[in-house]
Amino acid sequence: MGPPPVVTGISPKEGPPGTRVTIRGEFLGTSATDLIGLKICGCDCLLSAEWKSKNKIVARSGPCKGRGDIIVTTRFGGEGTSTVQFRGYHESIGPVKESAVWVEEAAPPSLPWGRRPMSPTTYTPPDPLGLSTEGDDCKFPEEELNEMFPDGSGKLSDDNFQPGWYLLEHHSNTSYEDLKAGMVFLQRKVESQKEGQLSFLKANTGAVMDQLDRLVLLKNMYEEDERKNGKEPLPSLQAAIEESITLADSLFSEILSRKDNADKTREALSLLTRHKFLFQLPASIDRNIRKKEYDLVVNDYTRVKNLFGNTDVKLFQKILAEIDKKIEDLKEKLYTRMKTMPINVQEQTKYIRLLISLNWEGDAAWVAITSRKEYLMSLMNKVKDHFKQKEEQEANEKGATSPASSPGNPPPRSDRQTSSYGNNFQQEMIIAAVELFSEHMRACLLSPGGGKLVPTDTLRVRLVANLRHLREAYDSLLKLDLPSQPLSIVEKVIFDYRVHGMTVFLQRAHKRVKGLAEKETWKIEEYSDYGAITNLPHLLETYLNEAFAAIHKCVVTSGRRESPLLADNSEPAAILQKHIQQILLAYVTVLQDLALNHEDQEFNNSNLSVALEQRAEEGAGAGPGAQGAQPAAWQLRLLLAGANAAYTRRHTLAAIATAIHNFGFPKQTQALQATKEALSTLESTIAETYLEHKGDPLVGTIEPSMDMGRHKTDADAIVDDARPYVYEIINNLIAVDSVSGAASSRYVRDICETVCEELARLAALGTPGAPMSPAAAFQARLEYTLLRLACAEHLTRKAENHLMEALAGIPPIESEEEKKRMDTIVQGFKKRMELQLASLNCNMETV
Amino acid sequence: MKDVCSCLEPRVKCRTMSKKPAAQPTLHKVIMVGSGGVGKSALTLQFMYDEFVEDYEPTKADSYRKKVVLDGEEVQIDILDTAGQEDYAAIRDNYFRSGEGFLCVFSITEPESFDATQEFREQILRVKNDENIPFLLVGNKSDLADKRRVPLDSCRERAQHWQVPYVETSAKTRDNVDKVFFDLMREIRSRKSDDSRATNGDVKGKKRRKIKCAIL
């Protein structure tokens, strides 16, 4: 039940019967059929009611008189109420009566003249008082009449006729005189009616005749009808009705069936429209797959599954099957794509998500991880193979450019993915992957060093690059928060690699040092405190520094979470020490070889005099090519080697120690100490060798030359000059000095010492044999004096002693004359030998 | 004559009966006056049913009544929508008699309708015999400002002269429609409370009673 209708407005609010009224209000029915009742002032007006809207009904007022409610009844709201009222009034319309309202055409036409209006709706009895009511515009307010006569009526014909109402209504303005006249008129009229039937008939002859005529007409018509249709008109009527019913039914059913068809078609159409989505889905799936918009496909599929998943409609099921097939294909495709490498992780993740959302049976992510792992493994193998191949190829084309690119380093992305997936198997898988990765890295990194020598720059570049890749990999692994096991594997590789790198550099330095011999040009580089040196010590230092720098730069610097390479007492430290020692010792060996390797050759003519020797040396220098390249005399080389050794021991080793310290390597005391010792030994060996080669022939020549002169001195001739051996000694000394002075003055001293010793020995030898003649004694003294004079700068205390010893063995000079003579000779000697003496003595100062 | 006299008895009875529906909210009787076609019915229908009637159908006399809430008090408003056409001028007196307040409507696009308000005002004052009857001068069709032909100043001037409020409305846009009805109701209400106080011997109240007595 809805709310009851309420009428709140009426337009117009009064009017004669048949007035078209607009009724407004609320809940006046939801449709025309809902309106089941309308009463205006108690008159049923439903027939004329025209339902406009739930707020508005248009109807015509009924033949009511007076004020009354407008009651609307609806099917759902029941009987309603009214807040406004309609007043119906009857109007007599005469030719002279002014009417303020439009006379509806539906109203009965006014009857011809002379006849009273007979229709009850317009019938207004003439005024019973016989007074004219025309011109009585000012009507008495009806409300007040109603209030005064609640049960009354102003109608003459009503049962509850109230004369007061009638008088107030019609004659409120009539004067008392008029009313009295009217009273008389009324009384006379009543009197006349009482005259009887005849008088009535007389008065109404026309009307009576008319009625009779009508009755006769009616009777005639009835009789005719009876004659035509028989006594009982009903059967034929019934037949006609039945026939019409059948006809109507057939017509109606035809229309109904047509309507049914139309409805079905419409329904099918609307179904198509409504489920357009479903019907178009196969095509749209194809289109989206072609466009690679898989998300859309998944959305559509999920939606269609939700909407039609449990449908019983055959058509839908068919389409669903089609869609399912397409989705299966798509899944297969996605699966293949996901497995096909290479593919980046984002894309793979996308495929996994799609597969999961498509309810792919099986664990998409796991499959993806497994396939990625396999791919990674094979990729690593491939990279290894590739690298190896390249390496071989390179080996074949000797001198060809070395591989610029370092071995490929597949980033361990899969591990990231795996860790995000997370389950128990992942650890083993990661370990396997990392192990393989490490193994390959190790293999491809550490192999090149073993086989052959790779150019330095390439090697370094490759080492650095590889190490960087390794560290990157390690870093990305670290970021994954993996368990320590795989990490330690990689760390181990890095560590090994660093150790290896260090070893490689050191080995290289070792090799280069070994090759120093070939690099020696015997060009004097500088004069140090230890004599002239070549560039060998510097080269050593440079090589070592280079190696250290390379080591420091490439491998020593620790990455994140890497153990320091050169920890105390660690293996690498020991290796480092071993290698440094090896290098240094190799250097010593090189020096030794350089110094002594020509000895055998030189020994052949070592017994010749210096002058001869030099000549022979020159001749030999012109001969063999190997020696021709090294113009320096072997003595010089010997001296240079000695100086180099000394310089190295004192200076270069200290520099190296500093470098080691600067680079933050552990101190290599042991190696340095060993080298020092080796160098000292080498120095002494060299010194000995030199003396042996230089001093011995000199000393050896003294005695023969002495003897040579001694034959002549026997004849007590006046000695006016020293014997030639003295000059020879001096000349030899000068030669030695000129050569060795450049290298080291120490050798000259040593030789002087040896010479002096020999002289002393000879002097001592000669004395006991025969007493020395004064001439011989003079001669000896002169010679010794001259020698002492010549060698003054180079005489050591030991040599001085030897000379003094020799002088002591000679009898002193007695005569002044002899002394004077000796002075003269010495002066002469000085004058003559000025140049020689100067050259011998000045050497020290000039150097 | 006897009959007329005897009718005095039932009249008393009627009075008591009419008082019976006292539970009903106070009823304010509003009458719409103005020339034909100025929009009296449009205003009424807009107020009553929130609808704007486009087609013009001359009114005879329409009656509307509904409950509204006036300043928190539930009251009933009875609107008598009268005919504007001169044809009906003769029956206006009857209607005016029952009104408690008047909305005198003219169209701001039609100077003739404005002129006619003078006549309506006079007629109302004559019928009601009360200078202070609740009365609003309403200039309708304010949405047709571009067709305005009655200057605002003259409207105000007239309202000033009559000592009544002037409001411009638009039945089409519902502009000020509620306002004019509610304003008028407020005037009626305050007027009634004055009267009820005045029943204790005020002159004005007697005046109105005198009219009724005169009829009786």
Side-chain angles (χ1 to χ4, degrees), chain A residues 8-14 20 24-25 83-84 100 144 147-150 163, chain B residues 3 7 10-11 14 45 48-49 51 57 60-65 80 88 95 215:
Chain A
T8 59
I10 180 84
S11 166
K13 72 183 185 86
E14 56 191 2
R20 189 170 180 272
R24 289 175 193 271
T83 62
V84 290
E144 293 183 23
E147 282 174 22
M148 281 185 276
F149 311 98
Chain B
D3 286 344
C7 80
R11 191 194 139 226
C14 153
L45 290 176
M48 286 292 294
Y49 307 107
E51 69 175 76
E57 190 183 349
K60 291 163 203 160
D62 298 353
S63 174
Y64 301 95
R65 186 182 290 194
L80 180 67
Y88 300 91
Y95 299 143
I215 290 165

mmCIF file of all heavy atoms in Angstrom, chain A residues 8-14 20 24-25 83-84 100 144 147-150 163, chain B residues 3 7 10-11 14 45 48-49 51 57 60-65 80 88 95 215:
data_model
loop_
_atom_site.group_PDB
_atom_site.id
_atom_site.type_symbol
_atom_site.label_atom_id
_atom_site.label_comp_id
_atom_site.label_asym_id
_atom_site.label_seq_id
_atom_site.Cartn_x
_atom_site.Cartn_y
_atom_site.Cartn_z
ATOM 1 N N THR A 8 -4.716 18.683 -3.230
ATOM 2 C CA THR A 8 -4.389 19.967 -2.604
ATOM 3 C C THR A 8 -4.746 21.129 -3.496
ATOM 4 O O THR A 8 -4.553 22.270 -3.115
ATOM 5 C CB THR A 8 -2.893 20.031 -2.275
ATOM 6 O OG1 THR A 8 -2.169 19.865 -3.486
ATOM 7 C CG2 THR A 8 -2.486 18.965 -1.295
ATOM 8 N N GLY A 9 -5.192 20.821 -4.707
ATOM 9 C CA GLY A 9 -5.495 21.958 -5.582
ATOM 10 C C GLY A 9 -6.619 21.609 -6.537
ATOM 11 O O GLY A 9 -6.742 20.480 -6.990
ATOM 12 N N ILE A 10 -7.440 22.607 -6.811
ATOM 13 C CA ILE A 10 -8.531 22.390 -7.755
ATOM 14 C C ILE A 10 -8.664 23.632 -8.611
ATOM 15 O O ILE A 10 -8.567 24.760 -8.118
ATOM 16 C CB ILE A 10 -9.850 22.083 -6.996
ATOM 17 C CG1 ILE A 10 -11.026 21.854 -7.969
ATOM 18 C CG2 ILE A 10 -10.201 23.164 -5.998
ATOM 19 C CD1 ILE A 10 -11.081 20.465 -8.487
ATOM 20 N N SER A 11 -8.782 23.402 -9.889
ATOM 21 C CA SER A 11 -8.875 24.543 -10.799
ATOM 22 C C SER A 11 -9.930 24.257 -11.860
ATOM 23 O O SER A 11 -9.783 23.306 -12.611
ATOM 24 C CB SER A 11 -7.510 24.770 -11.459
ATOM 25 O OG SER A 11 -7.631 25.640 -12.551
ATOM 26 N N PRO A 12 -10.981 24.942 -11.946
ATOM 27 C CA PRO A 12 -11.399 25.988 -10.999
ATOM 28 C C PRO A 12 -12.063 25.376 -9.782
ATOM 29 O O PRO A 12 -12.355 24.204 -9.765
ATOM 30 C CB PRO A 12 -12.401 26.778 -11.824
ATOM 31 C CG PRO A 12 -12.981 25.782 -12.760
ATOM 32 C CD PRO A 12 -11.929 24.786 -13.048
ATOM 33 N N LYS A 13 -12.287 26.218 -8.809
ATOM 34 C CA LYS A 13 -12.784 25.668 -7.553
ATOM 35 C C LYS A 13 -14.310 25.600 -7.538
ATOM 36 O O LYS A 13 -14.903 25.094 -6.603
ATOM 37 C CB LYS A 13 -12.282 26.502 -6.380
ATOM 38 C CG LYS A 13 -12.928 27.867 -6.234
ATOM 39 C CD LYS A 13 -12.284 28.589 -5.075
ATOM 40 C CE LYS A 13 -12.983 29.914 -4.794
ATOM 41 N NZ LYS A 13 -14.143 29.716 -3.906
ATOM 42 N N GLU A 14 -14.918 26.103 -8.585
ATOM 43 C CA GLU A 14 -16.376 25.992 -8.638
ATOM 44 C C GLU A 14 -16.818 26.029 -10.085
ATOM 45 O O GLU A 14 -16.055 26.441 -10.970
ATOM 46 C CB GLU A 14 -17.028 27.138 -7.866
ATOM 47 C CG GLU A 14 -16.568 28.503 -8.370
ATOM 48 C CD GLU A 14 -16.998 29.621 -7.439
ATOM 49 O OE1 GLU A 14 -17.600 29.313 -6.405
ATOM 50 O OE2 GLU A 14 -16.715 30.779 -7.752
ATOM 51 N N ARG A 20 -14.721 21.458 -16.640
ATOM 52 C CA ARG A 20 -13.446 20.725 -16.758
ATOM 53 C C ARG A 20 -12.557 21.189 -15.610
ATOM 54 O O ARG A 20 -12.140 22.347 -15.557
ATOM 55 C CB ARG A 20 -12.796 21.051 -18.091
ATOM 56 C CG ARG A 20 -11.602 20.215 -18.414
ATOM 57 C CD ARG A 20 -11.197 20.468 -19.866
ATOM 58 N NE ARG A 20 -10.033 19.678 -20.225
ATOM 59 C CZ ARG A 20 -8.792 20.098 -20.033
ATOM 60 N NH1 ARG A 20 -8.569 21.285 -19.512
ATOM 61 N NH2 ARG A 20 -7.773 19.331 -20.409
ATOM 62 N N ARG A 24 -5.166 18.777 -8.621
ATOM 63 C CA ARG A 24 -3.735 18.609 -8.334
ATOM 64 C C ARG A 24 -3.568 18.112 -6.915
ATOM 65 O O ARG A 24 -4.404 18.336 -6.053
ATOM 66 C CB ARG A 24 -2.995 19.931 -8.488
ATOM 67 C CG ARG A 24 -2.876 20.372 -9.933
ATOM 68 C CD ARG A 24 -2.237 21.745 -9.970
ATOM 69 N NE ARG A 24 -2.352 22.359 -11.276
ATOM 70 C CZ ARG A 24 -1.447 22.175 -12.227
ATOM 71 N NH1 ARG A 24 -0.405 21.398 -12.016
ATOM 72 N NH2 ARG A 24 -1.594 22.761 -13.385
ATOM 73 N N GLY A 25 -2.497 17.426 -6.722
ATOM 74 C CA GLY A 25 -2.259 16.899 -5.383
ATOM 75 C C GLY A 25 -1.063 15.971 -5.383
ATOM 76 O O GLY A 25 -0.160 16.086 -6.205
ATOM 77 N N THR A 83 -7.812 18.655 0.665
ATOM 78 C CA THR A 83 -7.690 19.868 1.469
ATOM 79 C C THR A 83 -8.468 21.014 0.834
ATOM 80 O O THR A 83 -8.623 22.062 1.428
ATOM 81 C CB THR A 83 -6.213 20.288 1.608
ATOM 82 O OG1 THR A 83 -5.710 20.579 0.305
ATOM 83 C CG2 THR A 83 -5.377 19.201 2.229
ATOM 84 N N VAL A 84 -8.906 20.811 -0.396
ATOM 85 C CA VAL A 84 -9.676 21.858 -1.078
ATOM 86 C C VAL A 84 -11.054 21.303 -1.455
ATOM 87 O O VAL A 84 -11.263 20.095 -1.435
ATOM 88 C CB VAL A 84 -8.941 22.354 -2.332
ATOM 89 C CG1 VAL A 84 -7.720 23.145 -1.952
ATOM 90 C CG2 VAL A 84 -8.577 21.193 -3.242
ATOM 91 N N ALA A 100 -21.025 34.648 -16.796
ATOM 92 C CA ALA A 100 -19.607 34.970 -16.666
ATOM 93 C C ALA A 100 -18.728 33.814 -17.091
ATOM 94 O O ALA A 100 -17.545 33.973 -17.280
ATOM 95 C CB ALA A 100 -19.304 35.348 -15.231
ATOM 96 N N GLU A 144 -21.500 30.767 4.346
ATOM 97 C CA GLU A 144 -22.310 31.200 5.480
ATOM 98 C C GLU A 144 -23.649 30.494 5.495
ATOM 99 O O GLU A 144 -24.167 30.118 6.549
ATOM 100 C CB GLU A 144 -22.480 32.712 5.443
ATOM 101 C CG GLU A 144 -21.144 33.389 5.701
ATOM 102 C CD GLU A 144 -21.254 34.908 5.751
ATOM 103 O OE1 GLU A 144 -22.359 35.414 6.016
ATOM 104 O OE2 GLU A 144 -20.223 35.558 5.543
ATOM 105 N N GLU A 147 -23.056 27.212 6.843
ATOM 106 C CA GLU A 147 -22.887 27.255 8.287
ATOM 107 C C GLU A 147 -24.251 27.389 8.980
ATOM 108 O O GLU A 147 -24.506 26.796 10.021
ATOM 109 C CB GLU A 147 -21.984 28.442 8.664
ATOM 110 C CG GLU A 147 -20.503 28.151 8.429
ATOM 111 C CD GLU A 147 -19.655 29.385 8.659
ATOM 112 O OE1 GLU A 147 -20.103 30.307 9.368
ATOM 113 O OE2 GLU A 147 -18.541 29.412 8.092
ATOM 114 N N MET A 148 -25.081 28.161 8.340
ATOM 115 C CA MET A 148 -26.386 28.418 8.973
ATOM 116 C C MET A 148 -27.306 27.231 8.871
ATOM 117 O O MET A 148 -28.037 26.912 9.791
ATOM 118 C CB MET A 148 -27.034 29.646 8.341
ATOM 119 C CG MET A 148 -26.460 30.934 8.869
ATOM 120 S SD MET A 148 -27.342 32.353 8.219
ATOM 121 C CE MET A 148 -26.533 32.582 6.676
ATOM 122 N N PHE A 149 -27.285 26.579 7.713
ATOM 123 C CA PHE A 149 -28.174 25.410 7.510
ATOM 124 C C PHE A 149 -27.329 24.200 7.190
ATOM 125 O O PHE A 149 -27.173 23.819 6.031
ATOM 126 C CB PHE A 149 -29.168 25.664 6.370
ATOM 127 C CG PHE A 149 -29.877 26.979 6.482
ATOM 128 C CD1 PHE A 149 -29.458 28.088 5.770
ATOM 129 C CD2 PHE A 149 -30.994 27.080 7.340
ATOM 130 C CE1 PHE A 149 -30.134 29.295 5.897
ATOM 131 C CE2 PHE A 149 -31.650 28.298 7.446
ATOM 132 C CZ PHE A 149 -31.230 29.420 6.727
ATOM 133 N N PRO A 150 -26.714 23.617 8.219
ATOM 134 C CA PRO A 150 -25.782 22.522 7.937
ATOM 135 C C PRO A 150 -26.449 21.352 7.238
ATOM 136 O O PRO A 150 -25.817 20.690 6.421
ATOM 137 C CB PRO A 150 -25.259 22.134 9.317
ATOM 138 C CG PRO A 150 -26.160 22.768 10.293
ATOM 139 C CD PRO A 150 -26.903 23.869 9.629
ATOM 140 N N PRO A 163 -36.391 26.737 3.381
ATOM 141 C CA PRO A 163 -36.864 27.975 2.746
ATOM 142 C C PRO A 163 -35.972 29.165 3.053
ATOM 143 O O PRO A 163 -35.738 30.032 2.191
ATOM 144 C CB PRO A 163 -38.250 28.164 3.376
ATOM 145 C CG PRO A 163 -38.624 26.837 3.903
ATOM 146 C CD PRO A 163 -37.389 26.137 4.270
ATOM 147 N N ASP B 3 -39.222 31.033 9.105
ATOM 148 C CA ASP B 3 -38.136 30.108 8.770
ATOM 149 C C ASP B 3 -36.786 30.764 8.957
ATOM 150 O O ASP B 3 -35.846 30.174 9.457
ATOM 151 C CB ASP B 3 -38.266 29.664 7.301
ATOM 152 C CG ASP B 3 -39.424 28.690 7.172
ATOM 153 O OD1 ASP B 3 -39.838 28.192 8.237
ATOM 154 O OD2 ASP B 3 -39.865 28.445 6.040
ATOM 155 N N CYS B 7 -33.703 29.704 11.748
ATOM 156 C CA CYS B 7 -32.379 29.210 11.312
ATOM 157 C C CYS B 7 -31.277 29.681 12.235
ATOM 158 O O CYS B 7 -30.141 29.292 12.120
ATOM 159 C CB CYS B 7 -32.085 29.646 9.876
ATOM 160 S SG CYS B 7 -31.499 31.335 9.748
ATOM 161 N N PRO B 10 -29.718 26.504 14.377
ATOM 162 C CA PRO B 10 -28.657 25.642 13.817
ATOM 163 C C PRO B 10 -27.336 26.389 13.598
ATOM 164 O O PRO B 10 -26.282 25.782 13.561
ATOM 165 C CB PRO B 10 -29.220 25.181 12.467
ATOM 166 C CG PRO B 10 -30.470 25.902 12.236
ATOM 167 C CD PRO B 10 -30.885 26.586 13.482
ATOM 168 N N ARG B 11 -27.405 27.637 13.466
ATOM 169 C CA ARG B 11 -26.187 28.377 13.229
ATOM 170 C C ARG B 11 -25.209 28.226 14.388
ATOM 171 O O ARG B 11 -24.009 28.057 14.201
ATOM 172 C CB ARG B 11 -26.531 29.850 13.019
ATOM 173 C CG ARG B 11 -25.366 30.634 12.498
ATOM 174 C CD ARG B 11 -25.615 32.118 12.610
ATOM 175 N NE ARG B 11 -24.417 32.773 13.043
ATOM 176 C CZ ARG B 11 -24.367 33.698 13.993
ATOM 177 N NH1 ARG B 11 -25.468 34.043 14.628
ATOM 178 N NH2 ARG B 11 -23.253 34.283 14.314
ATOM 179 N N CYS B 14 -23.631 25.015 14.217
ATOM 180 C CA CYS B 14 -22.606 25.006 13.166
ATOM 181 C C CYS B 14 -21.300 25.570 13.687
ATOM 182 O O CYS B 14 -20.230 25.066 13.435
ATOM 183 C CB CYS B 14 -23.114 25.852 11.982
ATOM 184 S SG CYS B 14 -21.817 26.587 11.000
ATOM 185 N N LEU B 45 1.392 27.561 -8.865
ATOM 186 C CA LEU B 45 1.749 26.177 -9.180
ATOM 187 C C LEU B 45 3.225 25.912 -8.860
ATOM 188 O O LEU B 45 3.591 24.834 -8.416
ATOM 189 C CB LEU B 45 1.466 25.865 -10.644
ATOM 190 C CG LEU B 45 -0.030 25.812 -10.976
ATOM 191 C CD1 LEU B 45 -0.240 25.605 -12.470
ATOM 192 C CD2 LEU B 45 -0.687 24.677 -10.207
ATOM 193 N N MET B 48 3.276 25.526 -5.166
ATOM 194 C CA MET B 48 2.613 24.326 -4.676
ATOM 195 C C MET B 48 3.305 23.050 -5.147
ATOM 196 O O MET B 48 3.486 22.120 -4.381
ATOM 197 C CB MET B 48 1.150 24.303 -5.170
ATOM 198 C CG MET B 48 0.230 25.273 -4.459
ATOM 199 S SD MET B 48 -0.037 24.833 -2.739
ATOM 200 C CE MET B 48 -0.941 23.296 -2.896
ATOM 201 N N TYR B 49 3.626 23.013 -6.399
ATOM 202 C CA TYR B 49 4.040 21.723 -6.976
ATOM 203 C C TYR B 49 5.398 21.781 -7.667
ATOM 204 O O TYR B 49 5.778 20.844 -8.369
ATOM 205 C CB TYR B 49 2.988 21.241 -7.975
ATOM 206 C CG TYR B 49 1.596 21.199 -7.379
ATOM 207 C CD1 TYR B 49 0.632 22.121 -7.728
ATOM 208 C CD2 TYR B 49 1.293 20.219 -6.439
ATOM 209 C CE1 TYR B 49 -0.625 22.096 -7.158
ATOM 210 C CE2 TYR B 49 0.033 20.184 -5.863
ATOM 211 C CZ TYR B 49 -0.925 21.116 -6.222
ATOM 212 O OH TYR B 49 -2.152 21.084 -5.644
ATOM 213 N N GLU B 51 6.291 23.194 -10.225
ATOM 214 C CA GLU B 51 6.281 23.024 -11.669
ATOM 215 C C GLU B 51 5.971 24.349 -12.343
ATOM 216 O O GLU B 51 5.308 25.225 -11.781
ATOM 217 C CB GLU B 51 5.275 21.948 -12.090
ATOM 218 C CG GLU B 51 3.819 22.327 -11.892
ATOM 219 C CD GLU B 51 2.900 21.244 -12.462
ATOM 220 O OE1 GLU B 51 2.765 20.192 -11.810
ATOM 221 O OE2 GLU B 51 2.319 21.455 -13.544
ATOM 222 N N GLU B 57 -3.453 29.120 -19.792
ATOM 223 C CA GLU B 57 -4.887 28.785 -19.746
ATOM 224 C C GLU B 57 -5.519 29.700 -18.710
ATOM 225 O O GLU B 57 -5.185 29.616 -17.530
ATOM 226 C CB GLU B 57 -5.042 27.325 -19.326
ATOM 227 C CG GLU B 57 -6.455 26.831 -19.484
ATOM 228 C CD GLU B 57 -6.590 25.397 -18.997
ATOM 229 O OE1 GLU B 57 -5.555 24.754 -18.751
ATOM 230 O OE2 GLU B 57 -7.720 24.929 -18.848
ATOM 231 N N LYS B 60 -10.164 30.612 -13.856
ATOM 232 C CA LYS B 60 -11.418 31.189 -13.361
ATOM 233 C C LYS B 60 -11.196 31.496 -11.891
ATOM 234 O O LYS B 60 -11.069 32.637 -11.495
ATOM 235 C CB LYS B 60 -12.568 30.209 -13.564
ATOM 236 C CG LYS B 60 -12.898 30.033 -15.032
ATOM 237 C CD LYS B 60 -13.721 28.773 -15.227
ATOM 238 C CE LYS B 60 -13.594 28.268 -16.652
ATOM 239 N NZ LYS B 60 -13.980 26.848 -16.719
ATOM 240 N N ALA B 61 -11.167 30.434 -11.136
ATOM 241 C CA ALA B 61 -10.827 30.596 -9.725
ATOM 242 C C ALA B 61 -10.360 29.241 -9.245
ATOM 243 O O ALA B 61 -11.124 28.289 -9.294
ATOM 244 C CB ALA B 61 -12.033 31.050 -8.925
ATOM 245 N N ASP B 62 -9.108 29.177 -8.844
ATOM 246 C CA ASP B 62 -8.566 27.902 -8.404
ATOM 247 C C ASP B 62 -8.288 27.960 -6.919
ATOM 248 O O ASP B 62 -8.000 29.017 -6.372
ATOM 249 C CB ASP B 62 -7.251 27.587 -9.131
ATOM 250 C CG ASP B 62 -7.477 27.456 -10.625
ATOM 251 O OD1 ASP B 62 -8.644 27.477 -11.046
ATOM 252 O OD2 ASP B 62 -6.474 27.338 -11.358
ATOM 253 N N SER B 63 -8.354 26.798 -6.338
ATOM 254 C CA SER B 63 -8.138 26.742 -4.899
ATOM 255 C C SER B 63 -7.058 25.720 -4.599
ATOM 256 O O SER B 63 -7.085 24.608 -5.139
ATOM 257 C CB SER B 63 -9.448 26.342 -4.215
ATOM 258 O OG SER B 63 -9.215 26.144 -2.850
ATOM 259 N N TYR B 64 -6.127 26.113 -3.741
ATOM 260 C CA TYR B 64 -5.044 25.198 -3.350
ATOM 261 C C TYR B 64 -4.870 25.300 -1.854
ATOM 262 O O TYR B 64 -5.038 26.347 -1.257
ATOM 263 C CB TYR B 64 -3.743 25.555 -4.054
ATOM 264 C CG TYR B 64 -3.862 25.514 -5.559
ATOM 265 C CD1 TYR B 64 -4.144 26.664 -6.281
ATOM 266 C CD2 TYR B 64 -3.721 24.300 -6.233
ATOM 267 C CE1 TYR B 64 -4.263 26.627 -7.648
ATOM 268 C CE2 TYR B 64 -3.851 24.260 -7.616
ATOM 269 C CZ TYR B 64 -4.120 25.418 -8.321
ATOM 270 O OH TYR B 64 -4.257 25.373 -9.669
ATOM 271 N N ARG B 65 -4.502 24.181 -1.297
ATOM 272 C CA ARG B 65 -4.272 24.186 0.142
ATOM 273 C C ARG B 65 -3.267 23.109 0.476
ATOM 274 O O ARG B 65 -3.392 21.972 0.040
ATOM 275 C CB ARG B 65 -5.588 23.919 0.873
ATOM 276 C CG ARG B 65 -5.462 24.050 2.375
ATOM 277 C CD ARG B 65 -6.745 23.742 3.065
ATOM 278 N NE ARG B 65 -7.762 24.769 2.834
ATOM 279 C CZ ARG B 65 -8.881 24.860 3.561
ATOM 280 N NH1 ARG B 65 -9.075 24.008 4.547
ATOM 281 N NH2 ARG B 65 -9.768 25.785 3.299
ATOM 282 N N LEU B 80 -6.066 31.089 -2.993
ATOM 283 C CA LEU B 80 -7.153 31.262 -3.959
ATOM 284 C C LEU B 80 -6.579 32.009 -5.137
ATOM 285 O O LEU B 80 -6.154 33.162 -5.023
ATOM 286 C CB LEU B 80 -8.311 32.043 -3.327
ATOM 287 C CG LEU B 80 -9.487 32.265 -4.269
ATOM 288 C CD1 LEU B 80 -10.158 30.942 -4.597
ATOM 289 C CD2 LEU B 80 -10.498 33.208 -3.623
ATOM 290 N N TYR B 88 -14.323 38.625 -15.216
ATOM 291 C CA TYR B 88 -14.680 38.082 -13.912
ATOM 292 C C TYR B 88 -14.665 39.136 -12.821
ATOM 293 O O TYR B 88 -14.810 38.822 -11.657
ATOM 294 C CB TYR B 88 -13.714 36.957 -13.530
ATOM 295 C CG TYR B 88 -13.722 35.816 -14.516
ATOM 296 C CD1 TYR B 88 -12.853 35.789 -15.595
ATOM 297 C CD2 TYR B 88 -14.641 34.774 -14.323
ATOM 298 C CE1 TYR B 88 -12.871 34.753 -16.490
ATOM 299 C CE2 TYR B 88 -14.666 33.739 -15.233
ATOM 300 C CZ TYR B 88 -13.778 33.716 -16.322
ATOM 301 O OH TYR B 88 -13.809 32.689 -17.199
ATOM 302 N N TYR B 95 -14.718 36.735 -3.559
ATOM 303 C CA TYR B 95 -13.462 36.054 -3.216
ATOM 304 C C TYR B 95 -12.671 36.853 -2.214
ATOM 305 O O TYR B 95 -12.160 36.334 -1.233
ATOM 306 C CB TYR B 95 -12.616 35.848 -4.471
ATOM 307 C CG TYR B 95 -13.267 34.994 -5.533
ATOM 308 C CD1 TYR B 95 -13.099 35.278 -6.872
ATOM 309 C CD2 TYR B 95 -14.049 33.884 -5.158
ATOM 310 C CE1 TYR B 95 -13.668 34.505 -7.844
ATOM 311 C CE2 TYR B 95 -14.627 33.107 -6.142
ATOM 312 C CZ TYR B 95 -14.442 33.424 -7.480
ATOM 313 O OH TYR B 95 -15.013 32.654 -8.427
ATOM 314 N N ILE B 215 -23.634 41.673 8.126
ATOM 315 C CA ILE B 215 -24.231 40.722 7.177
ATOM 316 C C ILE B 215 -25.346 39.973 7.863
ATOM 317 O O ILE B 215 -26.431 39.766 7.320
ATOM 318 C CB ILE B 215 -23.160 39.758 6.661
ATOM 319 C CG1 ILE B 215 -22.185 40.523 5.751
ATOM 320 C CG2 ILE B 215 -23.783 38.610 5.885
ATOM 321 C CD1 ILE B 215 -20.913 39.799 5.483
#
